[in-house]
Amino acid sequence: MSVLVVDDYKTMIRIIRNLLKQLGFEDVDEAADGTEALGKMKERRYGLVISDWNMEPMTGYELLKQVRSDASLSKTPFIMVTAESKTENVIAAKKAGVNNYIVKPFNAQTLKGKIEAVFGV
């Protein structure tokens, strides 16, 4: 399964990529913000998007809303990653159609659990 990791912080992309590799995901693509991610998603089908919330110019939350409003992308599983565990953010993301939510920092086991929950494993 192909995974798109979206984060404006290169180190975080590397960390998530390594965690995904530990879990057996080899096909991992990356984007630095929501705009780049959206472009990549229009070119290629991803089995999962893991996106940071706080990015410029397009946030992960705005990306999520764009993805959910695009008929060709709307079914793509989407996990939001953030350093903030504010209840209003979680509620907003859920209303916008996020499949799961991870608060940083997290490990491979947490990521695995969130991915399995998304796919009902």
Side-chain angles (χ1 to χ4, degrees):
M1 175 172 61
S2 57
V3 181
L4 179 61
V5 177
V6 191
D7 201 311
D8 54 354
Y9 191 49
K10 279 281 185 217
T11 306
M12 198 63 211
I13 285 181
R14 199 170 64 244
I15 291 167
I16 295 174
R17 185 186 280 275
N18 288 339
L19 292 175
L20 287 167
K21 192 167 259 183
Q22 286 174 37
L23 300 174
F25 294 92
E26 297 294 329
D27 188 359
V28 180
D29 220 343
E30 62 187 61
D33 64 69
T35 310
E36 186 185 339
L38 207 52
K40 288 190 173 196
M41 289 179 76
K42 289 186 189 298
E43 291 167 20
R44 180 175 180 207
R45 274 257 176 275
Y46 290 98
L48 174 64
V49 174
I50 299 175
S51 176
D52 187 35
W53 183 296
N54 298 311
M55 294 178 291
E56 297 290 334
M58 186 194 286
T59 66
Y61 178 63
E62 288 163 343
L63 171 63
L64 172 64
K65 292 198 293 190
Q66 293 268 351
V67 167
R68 291 296 179 246
S69 66
D70 184 319
S72 66
L73 303 174
S74 65
K75 300 275 184 261
T76 308
F78 200 109
I79 296 177
M80 190 76 77
V81 178
T82 183
E84 300 167 38
S85 56
K86 287 186 194 150
T87 312
E88 60 266 26
N89 285 12
V90 177
I91 292 168
K94 287 262 187 237
K95 279 186 180 159
V98 79
N99 296 91
N100 220 322
Y101 202 89
I102 302 178
V103 179
K104 295 177 197 172
F106 58 92
N107 59 21
Q109 207 49 49
T110 303
L111 184 59
K112 182 177 193 269
K114 298 287 185 176
I115 292 171
E116 287 175 350
V118 167
F119 293 100
V121 176

